[in-house]
Amino acid sequence: MKASLAILVLAAASVSAAPAVPRDGLEHCIGECQTADANALMPSTVMKHKIAAWEQCETSTSLVCAARSRLAALEPLGFTKCVNGFAGEYPCKGLDLLSFTPHTALGSGAGFGNDIWGWTDPVSGAEIAVVAQTDGTAFVDVTQPSAPKYLGRVHTNVPEQPELSWRDVKVYKDHAYIVADDRRSNKHALQVFDLTQLRNVSTPVVFQPTTVYKEFGSCHNIAINEDTGFAYCVGSQTCNSGLHIIDIREPASPKFAGCADDDGYVHDAQIVIYKGPDTRFKGKEIAFGYNEDTLTIWDVTDKKAIKQLSRTPYQGSAYTHQGWLTEDQAYLLLDDELDELEKVNDGHTQTYIWDARDLTSPKYIGSYHSPTLSIDHNLYIKGNLSYQSNYGSGLRVNDITHIANAALTEVAFFDVTPERDIVEFEGTWSNYPYFKSGNILVNSIERGLFIVKHAESAEPPKCRAQ
């Protein structure tokens, strides 16, 4: 197993370099906890490919590189209906554009984006986009989606590295939790921001984090179980790069809670209170880990006695990236980030379909192949639809009604990279489809924030009250 060697190689150095135990009576990530997976594939595979495409801009044809020379040329767009396969210049099907706002209009000096999430203010009902960028995190009021309002931002936590290509954010109890992969300096830590500060903002504000959790520095990704109040940092330089668990039940006072470190590097995860068909685990807190070359499942109910339930490889894996459960928790979709690039398949986006009804023995049951050439990245499921951010082919929406038969059907799409569909790391990084309004957030690496909606429910813009 890839995890074991990392512990043997790095344990001695990590113990000697670990911080002293604070005298506060709390548990801390010290000693062997400050150990990374030395055999992690991320630095030598995904990062290697992306950095090669993005940084060699003098010779590269990457649109990320091309965007550097035309940042000022991007202009905001308002409501644009999808007609005859296009919303303005953007190819589409069944999704109207409500608005587009470039990253430069959202306070970013770099002008590049990555992850995205959303927050609904429980007091006002306002819908807020939390837009991760290479140089910080922007907050945008999208309640009137055809006239979004930039409210302010929190800058990156590593001044000596003003741009970090990997930033991730999730929300819990009116707080945003922001991490970044800065493995070179290993200083970013977890920024916690109280989103209620955005109420009544009239002009954009540069905010400071409410607090910073420093039990890790670099963290590739973060997942939160909103039902339990625990956050899970993955891909850090701690916990053998596995699950670094944080108690956030007091949202502004995060506390270290434990590790799941027995399968090495975890790239992404979804953690749920289990209500699926495997009756042995009803009511348990279950983590589904996307672990570079496997789907790995843990029972994390007891943070001091975590149990690995299964570790399942699959044929065709190149880099197990991310995935999401169906709402009944019986099946899941998994995206592999390198199978298209490394020619494991024909370059058409491949989504792996799993039967997860037995948590100790999940089964790969088939694949869906998109009609377009593109690398897949992040996907989410809402009802009987999956929302997949597939880099150069944009947001792809699939009907998963017949997932038990390993069958998906594309029903809508919005391509934020109209120049081309290509197997390259350009286009959309992620999306957020969970607002009650039905408005969908899409973050583009090179361009900015797109807000789209299913065509039958989209409405022309209304004037913002002054």
Side-chain angles (χ1 to χ4, degrees):
M1 183 181 295
K2 62 185 179 182
S4 58
L5 181 60
I7 295 174
L8 294 174
V9 171
L10 293 179
S14 298
V15 171
S16 62
V21 181
R23 298 181 180 277
D24 57 9
L26 300 176
E27 183 178 1
H28 293 274
C29 181
I30 59 173
E32 290 190 11
C33 182
Q34 291 289 325
T35 300
D37 180 359
N39 295 325
L41 302 175
M42 171 57 71
S44 62
T45 55
V46 178
M47 283 187 168
K48 177 182 177 182
H49 286 301
K50 288 185 178 180
I51 291 171
W54 295 345
E55 291 191 350
Q56 297 175 9
C57 288
E58 291 185 5
T59 58
S60 175
T61 61
S62 167
L63 294 178
V64 178
C65 295
R68 295 185 188 277
S69 63
R70 60 165 175 74
L71 289 176
L74 291 171
E75 296 291 338
L77 296 173
F79 179 83
T80 309
K81 192 167 184 59
C82 180
V83 179
N84 297 325
F86 286 89
E89 67 173 314
Y90 298 102
C92 58
K93 173 186 174 181
L95 291 169
D96 290 335
L97 175 66
L98 302 184
S99 66
F100 162 73
T101 308
H103 285 299
T104 50
L106 300 179
S108 174
F112 293 93
N114 32 57
D115 195 40
I116 195 162
W117 208 248
W119 173 61
T120 300
D121 187 332
V123 174
S124 67
E127 294 183 341
I128 306 296
V130 185
V131 185
Q133 300 164 326
T134 58
D135 53 355
T137 305
F139 307 106
V140 188
D141 187 338
V142 296
T143 310
Q144 295 186 35
S146 295
K149 180 182 178 182
Y150 170 55
L151 302 177
R153 64 189 292 101
V154 170
H155 286 317
T156 185
N157 223 24
V158 188
E160 62 268 36
Q161 281 185 269
E163 291 188 52
L164 295 169
S165 296
W166 286 267
R167 190 179 309 279
D168 197 78
V169 61
K170 296 296 184 296
V171 170
Y172 173 72
K173 282 192 176 179
D174 307 332
H175 288 71
Y177 295 83
I178 306 163
V179 298
D181 194 323
D182 67 319
R183 62 188 56 231
R184 189 173 70 189
S185 63
N186 198 28
K187 292 181 180 178
H188 187 277
L190 170 64
Q191 296 174 310
V192 182
F193 178 71
D194 184 348
L195 292 160
T196 64
Q197 296 179 79
L198 302 176
R199 293 170 180 161
N200 304 315
V201 169
S202 56
T203 57
V205 178
V206 175
F207 295 97
Q208 296 300 314
T210 303
T211 191
V212 178
Y213 171 88
K214 298 181 179 180
E215 302 278 341
F216 57 76
S218 176
C219 175
H220 192 78
N221 217 324
I222 188 168
I224 294 177
N225 185 350
E226 296 182 36
D227 291 328
T228 62
F230 284 90
Y232 296 77
C233 156
V234 298
S236 74
Q237 303 298 297
T238 67
C239 295
N240 198 31
S241 304
L243 302 179
H244 177 122
I245 308 171
I246 311 157
D247 183 346
I248 58 171
R249 288 174 291 183
E250 297 179 20
S253 300
K255 300 175 182 65
F256 176 68
C259 291
D261 57 5
D262 59 349
D263 194 30
Y265 192 100
V266 180
H267 180 272
D268 208 333
Q270 183 187 10
I271 301 90
V272 300
I273 293 296
Y274 188 70
K275 60 182 181 182
D278 194 335
T279 57
R280 295 170 295 174
F281 302 102
K282 288 277 189 182
K284 299 289 188 179
E285 187 170 14
I286 304 298
F288 294 78
Y290 300 91
N291 288 23
E292 301 201 306
D293 55 5
T294 64
L295 168 64
T296 303
I297 303 175
W298 292 274
D299 181 344
V300 295
T301 308
D302 183 347
K303 308 300 182 287
K304 307 307 176 191
I306 292 171
K307 301 173 184 176
Q308 186 181 120
L309 303 181
S310 58
R311 180 182 184 274
T312 312
Y314 57 96
Q315 184 175 3
S317 70
Y319 192 85
T320 309
H321 179 265
Q322 187 258 1
W324 210 254
L325 286 163
T326 55
E327 291 187 350
D328 63 3
Q329 299 180 353
Y331 298 87
L332 65 81
L333 299 180
L334 180 151
D335 53 54
D336 187 302
E337 194 173 12
L338 291 184
D339 52 354
E340 294 86 14
L341 190 69
E342 295 189 352
K343 303 186 186 304
V344 175
N345 55 38
D346 62 1
H348 290 258
T349 311
Q350 182 173 356
T351 303
Y352 296 79
I353 304 170
W354 290 72
D355 181 339
R357 290 177 293 178
D358 181 345
L359 297 184
T360 60
S361 184
K363 293 178 174 59
Y364 163 64
I365 59 173
S367 292
Y368 166 76
H369 293 262
S370 169
T372 57
L373 295 170
S374 184
I375 299 171
D376 39 354
H377 203 225
N378 291 327
L379 70 88
Y380 301 100
I381 291 174
K382 180 181 180 181
N384 68 339
L385 298 176
S386 68
Y387 294 83
Q388 303 185 217
S389 281
N390 289 349
Y391 280 114
S393 64
L395 176 69
R396 317 300 291 200
V397 183
N398 293 320
D399 186 333
I400 64 169
T401 301
H402 301 292
I403 192 171
N405 299 322
L408 308 183
T409 304
E410 184 173 273
V411 294
F413 68 83
F414 194 94
D415 190 347
V416 301
T417 310
E419 293 89 346
R420 58 191 181 183
D421 291 337
I422 191 172
V423 179
E424 188 53 87
F425 298 107
E426 56 191 38
T428 173
W429 186 285
S430 197
N431 68 87
Y432 180 78
Y434 296 115
F435 280 138
K436 185 177 180 181
S437 65
N439 300 332
I440 304 161
L441 308 177
V442 183
N443 200 2
S444 159
I445 300 170
E446 310 88 2
R447 284 174 164 80
L449 170 64
F450 291 81
I451 308 175
V452 300
K453 192 170 189 176
H454 289 282
E456 66 273 13
S457 57
E459 297 179 359
K462 298 178 181 178
C463 294
R464 178 182 289 276
Q466 299 297 319

